[in-house]
Amino acid sequence: MLKNVTKEDVDVLVELQEIEKGANRIRKVLDGVENEISIRKKKRRDAEIELKTLEAQLTEIRGQYKEFENEVKDRDIRLKKSEEYLKNVKTNTEYQTLLREIDDNRKRNSEAESQMIDFLDQIEKKEKEVSESQSRFNEIVETTDREIAEIENNTVSERKELEIITQKRNEVAINVKPRLLDRFNKILQQSAGIAIVPLTNTTCGGCFMNIPPQKFIEIQRGESLNFCPQCHRMVYYKKS
Ligand SMILES: [Zn+2]
């Protein structure tokens, strides 16, 4: 129970509640719209993630290919040097060692080259996947951009209306004592956008519970602001 709340105070709160109901109706519409927009944004994000993942895979394979290519190049240089050196070796042992080394390097190069061919295949496949994914992404961006613009365009009047209602709410709220307004806003948040309800006969207009007789008499007197014992909303007496 809040004491020293006048009939005028209650009237302003009731007016505020009416404004709030209007705002809620529009917010619901806009929430639905927000949801529609976020579905499209998610679709776009998913397509972008897919594209980026494929691009990263392509970079990785290209990197591996490059590594093999460099190894082969290095070994080719060493091979050339060894072949040059082979002409001038003095001993047979030296000759045999060098020949083994050359053979070994040639073998490793040929293995590397066959792996490189394999990588080239993979690169080609991945490039195709990237290009397809890029087209899909572009298409999705184009479609979702258009759809989002359309959705936003269709709600221009709602947004404008909400702006006007918000302004009106602020104008009315100035007339409410701060402690009352605080309480009102808190209940508004906790109780599905309805903070103050009329008491018709002895029934709470918020949760439809019957108010105990003693409490009802108190509320009827109208000298204080009372709360429903069940839903904790502000209740005021309204002659039916
Ligand atoms: Zn109630």
PDB file of all heavy atoms in Angstrom, residues 135-152:
ATOM      1  N   SER A 135      28.858 -17.175 -55.293  1.00  0.00           N
ATOM      2  CA  SER A 135      27.631 -16.845 -56.038  1.00  0.00           C
ATOM      3  C   SER A 135      26.422 -16.945 -55.122  1.00  0.00           C
ATOM      4  O   SER A 135      25.538 -16.090 -55.152  1.00  0.00           O
ATOM      5  CB  SER A 135      27.410 -17.797 -57.207  1.00  0.00           C
ATOM      6  OG  SER A 135      28.556 -17.915 -57.956  1.00  0.00           O
ATOM      7  N   ARG A 136      26.394 -18.042 -54.323  1.00  0.00           N
ATOM      8  CA  ARG A 136      25.265 -18.222 -53.393  1.00  0.00           C
ATOM      9  C   ARG A 136      25.189 -17.044 -52.438  1.00  0.00           C
ATOM     10  O   ARG A 136      24.115 -16.481 -52.206  1.00  0.00           O
ATOM     11  CB  ARG A 136      25.471 -19.515 -52.585  1.00  0.00           C
ATOM     12  CG  ARG A 136      24.617 -20.668 -53.072  1.00  0.00           C
ATOM     13  CD  ARG A 136      24.505 -21.764 -52.046  1.00  0.00           C
ATOM     14  NE  ARG A 136      25.751 -22.174 -51.430  1.00  0.00           N
ATOM     15  CZ  ARG A 136      26.624 -23.031 -51.975  1.00  0.00           C
ATOM     16  NH1 ARG A 136      26.370 -23.585 -53.153  1.00  0.00           N
ATOM     17  NH2 ARG A 136      27.735 -23.354 -51.348  1.00  0.00           N
ATOM     18  N   PHE A 137      26.350 -16.678 -51.905  1.00  0.00           N
ATOM     19  CA  PHE A 137      26.403 -15.573 -50.943  1.00  0.00           C
ATOM     20  C   PHE A 137      25.899 -14.274 -51.582  1.00  0.00           C
ATOM     21  O   PHE A 137      25.072 -13.575 -51.014  1.00  0.00           O
ATOM     22  CB  PHE A 137      27.831 -15.419 -50.407  1.00  0.00           C
ATOM     23  CG  PHE A 137      27.994 -14.253 -49.483  1.00  0.00           C
ATOM     24  CD1 PHE A 137      27.340 -14.225 -48.252  1.00  0.00           C
ATOM     25  CD2 PHE A 137      28.799 -13.177 -49.824  1.00  0.00           C
ATOM     26  CE1 PHE A 137      27.486 -13.147 -47.388  1.00  0.00           C
ATOM     27  CE2 PHE A 137      28.948 -12.097 -48.963  1.00  0.00           C
ATOM     28  CZ  PHE A 137      28.290 -12.084 -47.755  1.00  0.00           C
ATOM     29  N   ASN A 138      26.407 -13.971 -52.775  1.00  0.00           N
ATOM     30  CA  ASN A 138      25.976 -12.742 -53.468  1.00  0.00           C
ATOM     31  C   ASN A 138      24.470 -12.711 -53.660  1.00  0.00           C
ATOM     32  O   ASN A 138      23.820 -11.691 -53.466  1.00  0.00           O
ATOM     33  CB  ASN A 138      26.655 -12.640 -54.847  1.00  0.00           C
ATOM     34  CG  ASN A 138      28.146 -12.383 -54.717  1.00  0.00           C
ATOM     35  OD1 ASN A 138      28.635 -12.052 -53.645  1.00  0.00           O
ATOM     36  ND2 ASN A 138      28.869 -12.570 -55.810  1.00  0.00           N
ATOM     37  N   GLU A 139      23.952 -13.880 -54.050  1.00  0.00           N
ATOM     38  CA  GLU A 139      22.516 -13.987 -54.301  1.00  0.00           C
ATOM     39  C   GLU A 139      21.739 -13.732 -53.017  1.00  0.00           C
ATOM     40  O   GLU A 139      20.748 -12.989 -53.007  1.00  0.00           O
ATOM     41  CB  GLU A 139      22.220 -15.395 -54.805  1.00  0.00           C
ATOM     42  CG  GLU A 139      21.114 -15.471 -55.833  1.00  0.00           C
ATOM     43  CD  GLU A 139      21.043 -16.884 -56.384  1.00  0.00           C
ATOM     44  OE1 GLU A 139      21.908 -17.246 -57.222  1.00  0.00           O
ATOM     45  OE2 GLU A 139      20.144 -17.624 -55.949  1.00  0.00           O
ATOM     46  N   ILE A 140      22.218 -14.350 -51.921  1.00  0.00           N
ATOM     47  CA  ILE A 140      21.543 -14.201 -50.633  1.00  0.00           C
ATOM     48  C   ILE A 140      21.597 -12.749 -50.160  1.00  0.00           C
ATOM     49  O   ILE A 140      20.610 -12.202 -49.675  1.00  0.00           O
ATOM     50  CB  ILE A 140      22.153 -15.166 -49.581  1.00  0.00           C
ATOM     51  CG1 ILE A 140      21.684 -16.596 -49.884  1.00  0.00           C
ATOM     52  CG2 ILE A 140      21.763 -14.770 -48.163  1.00  0.00           C
ATOM     53  CD1 ILE A 140      22.355 -17.672 -49.072  1.00  0.00           C
ATOM     54  N   VAL A 141      22.750 -12.112 -50.339  1.00  0.00           N
ATOM     55  CA  VAL A 141      22.878 -10.702 -49.935  1.00  0.00           C
ATOM     56  C   VAL A 141      21.873  -9.849 -50.705  1.00  0.00           C
ATOM     57  O   VAL A 141      21.157  -9.030 -50.134  1.00  0.00           O
ATOM     58  CB  VAL A 141      24.321 -10.178 -50.175  1.00  0.00           C
ATOM     59  CG1 VAL A 141      24.378  -8.661 -50.059  1.00  0.00           C
ATOM     60  CG2 VAL A 141      25.285 -10.807 -49.181  1.00  0.00           C
ATOM     61  N   GLU A 142      21.807 -10.096 -52.003  1.00  0.00           N
ATOM     62  CA  GLU A 142      20.907  -9.309 -52.838  1.00  0.00           C
ATOM     63  C   GLU A 142      19.452  -9.507 -52.401  1.00  0.00           C
ATOM     64  O   GLU A 142      18.709  -8.541 -52.204  1.00  0.00           O
ATOM     65  CB  GLU A 142      21.098  -9.739 -54.298  1.00  0.00           C
ATOM     66  CG  GLU A 142      20.691  -8.673 -55.293  1.00  0.00           C
ATOM     67  CD  GLU A 142      20.622  -9.232 -56.699  1.00  0.00           C
ATOM     68  OE1 GLU A 142      21.635  -9.795 -57.149  1.00  0.00           O
ATOM     69  OE2 GLU A 142      19.556  -9.113 -57.326  1.00  0.00           O
ATOM     70  N   THR A 143      19.060 -10.781 -52.218  1.00  0.00           N
ATOM     71  CA  THR A 143      17.683 -11.077 -51.832  1.00  0.00           C
ATOM     72  C   THR A 143      17.358 -10.518 -50.449  1.00  0.00           C
ATOM     73  O   THR A 143      16.346  -9.851 -50.276  1.00  0.00           O
ATOM     74  CB  THR A 143      17.455 -12.612 -51.797  1.00  0.00           C
ATOM     75  OG1 THR A 143      18.068 -13.182 -52.936  1.00  0.00           O
ATOM     76  CG2 THR A 143      15.995 -12.951 -51.774  1.00  0.00           C
ATOM     77  N   THR A 144      18.233 -10.803 -49.481  1.00  0.00           N
ATOM     78  CA  THR A 144      17.913 -10.382 -48.114  1.00  0.00           C
ATOM     79  C   THR A 144      17.935  -8.856 -47.984  1.00  0.00           C
ATOM     80  O   THR A 144      17.116  -8.293 -47.272  1.00  0.00           O
ATOM     81  CB  THR A 144      18.868 -11.011 -47.076  1.00  0.00           C
ATOM     82  OG1 THR A 144      20.202 -10.788 -47.492  1.00  0.00           O
ATOM     83  CG2 THR A 144      18.619 -12.482 -46.913  1.00  0.00           C
ATOM     84  N   ASP A 145      18.843  -8.193 -48.682  1.00  0.00           N
ATOM     85  CA  ASP A 145      18.858  -6.717 -48.672  1.00  0.00           C
ATOM     86  C   ASP A 145      17.515  -6.170 -49.128  1.00  0.00           C
ATOM     87  O   ASP A 145      16.946  -5.284 -48.505  1.00  0.00           O
ATOM     88  CB  ASP A 145      19.957  -6.187 -49.614  1.00  0.00           C
ATOM     89  CG  ASP A 145      21.273  -5.983 -48.878  1.00  0.00           C
ATOM     90  OD1 ASP A 145      21.274  -6.155 -47.647  1.00  0.00           O
ATOM     91  OD2 ASP A 145      22.280  -5.659 -49.539  1.00  0.00           O
ATOM     92  N   ARG A 146      17.048  -6.762 -50.216  1.00  0.00           N
ATOM     93  CA  ARG A 146      15.777  -6.305 -50.786  1.00  0.00           C
ATOM     94  C   ARG A 146      14.637  -6.578 -49.809  1.00  0.00           C
ATOM     95  O   ARG A 146      13.803  -5.712 -49.555  1.00  0.00           O
ATOM     96  CB  ARG A 146      15.553  -7.017 -52.125  1.00  0.00           C
ATOM     97  CG  ARG A 146      14.506  -6.334 -52.993  1.00  0.00           C
ATOM     98  CD  ARG A 146      14.296  -7.050 -54.309  1.00  0.00           C
ATOM     99  NE  ARG A 146      14.009  -8.447 -54.137  1.00  0.00           N
ATOM    100  CZ  ARG A 146      14.710  -9.451 -54.691  1.00  0.00           C
ATOM    101  NH1 ARG A 146      15.744  -9.189 -55.455  1.00  0.00           N
ATOM    102  NH2 ARG A 146      14.375 -10.701 -54.490  1.00  0.00           N
ATOM    103  N   GLU A 147      14.650  -7.795 -49.242  1.00  0.00           N
ATOM    104  CA  GLU A 147      13.564  -8.163 -48.331  1.00  0.00           C
ATOM    105  C   GLU A 147      13.565  -7.311 -47.061  1.00  0.00           C
ATOM    106  O   GLU A 147      12.514  -6.869 -46.604  1.00  0.00           O
ATOM    107  CB  GLU A 147      13.685  -9.649 -47.959  1.00  0.00           C
ATOM    108  CG  GLU A 147      13.272 -10.570 -49.094  1.00  0.00           C
ATOM    109  CD  GLU A 147      13.562 -12.036 -48.811  1.00  0.00           C
ATOM    110  OE1 GLU A 147      14.263 -12.331 -47.816  1.00  0.00           O
ATOM    111  OE2 GLU A 147      13.107 -12.879 -49.592  1.00  0.00           O
ATOM    112  N   ILE A 148      14.770  -7.078 -46.525  1.00  0.00           N
ATOM    113  CA  ILE A 148      14.861  -6.280 -45.288  1.00  0.00           C
ATOM    114  C   ILE A 148      14.373  -4.852 -45.553  1.00  0.00           C
ATOM    115  O   ILE A 148      13.612  -4.285 -44.764  1.00  0.00           O
ATOM    116  CB  ILE A 148      16.307  -6.287 -44.735  1.00  0.00           C
ATOM    117  CG1 ILE A 148      16.631  -7.673 -44.161  1.00  0.00           C
ATOM    118  CG2 ILE A 148      16.493  -5.222 -43.664  1.00  0.00           C
ATOM    119  CD1 ILE A 148      18.079  -7.887 -43.771  1.00  0.00           C
ATOM    120  N   ALA A 149      14.782  -4.292 -46.687  1.00  0.00           N
ATOM    121  CA  ALA A 149      14.353  -2.931 -47.032  1.00  0.00           C
ATOM    122  C   ALA A 149      12.832  -2.877 -47.145  1.00  0.00           C
ATOM    123  O   ALA A 149      12.191  -1.931 -46.672  1.00  0.00           O
ATOM    124  CB  ALA A 149      15.002  -2.503 -48.337  1.00  0.00           C
ATOM    125  N   GLU A 150      12.277  -3.924 -47.736  1.00  0.00           N
ATOM    126  CA  GLU A 150      10.824  -3.999 -47.917  1.00  0.00           C
ATOM    127  C   GLU A 150      10.122  -4.052 -46.558  1.00  0.00           C
ATOM    128  O   GLU A 150       9.169  -3.322 -46.309  1.00  0.00           O
ATOM    129  CB  GLU A 150      10.505  -5.274 -48.698  1.00  0.00           C
ATOM    130  CG  GLU A 150       9.406  -5.112 -49.733  1.00  0.00           C
ATOM    131  CD  GLU A 150       9.364  -6.350 -50.620  1.00  0.00           C
ATOM    132  OE1 GLU A 150      10.093  -6.380 -51.632  1.00  0.00           O
ATOM    133  OE2 GLU A 150       8.619  -7.278 -50.251  1.00  0.00           O
ATOM    134  N   ILE A 151      10.640  -4.936 -45.690  1.00  0.00           N
ATOM    135  CA  ILE A 151      10.047  -5.090 -44.356  1.00  0.00           C
ATOM    136  C   ILE A 151      10.106  -3.769 -43.597  1.00  0.00           C
ATOM    137  O   ILE A 151       9.133  -3.331 -42.989  1.00  0.00           O
ATOM    138  CB  ILE A 151      10.796  -6.192 -43.553  1.00  0.00           C
ATOM    139  CG1 ILE A 151      10.527  -7.572 -44.170  1.00  0.00           C
ATOM    140  CG2 ILE A 151      10.360  -6.187 -42.102  1.00  0.00           C
ATOM    141  CD1 ILE A 151      11.438  -8.671 -43.655  1.00  0.00           C
ATOM    142  N   GLU A 152      11.270  -3.116 -43.672  1.00  0.00           N
ATOM    143  CA  GLU A 152      11.422  -1.851 -42.947  1.00  0.00           C
ATOM    144  C   GLU A 152      10.507  -0.776 -43.522  1.00  0.00           C
ATOM    145  O   GLU A 152       9.929   0.017 -42.790  1.00  0.00           O
ATOM    146  CB  GLU A 152      12.886  -1.400 -42.973  1.00  0.00           C
ATOM    147  CG  GLU A 152      13.685  -2.132 -41.904  1.00  0.00           C
ATOM    148  CD  GLU A 152      15.176  -1.879 -41.966  1.00  0.00           C
ATOM    149  OE1 GLU A 152      15.636  -1.310 -42.975  1.00  0.00           O
ATOM    150  OE2 GLU A 152      15.865  -2.270 -41.002  1.00  0.00           O
TER     151      GLU A 152
END
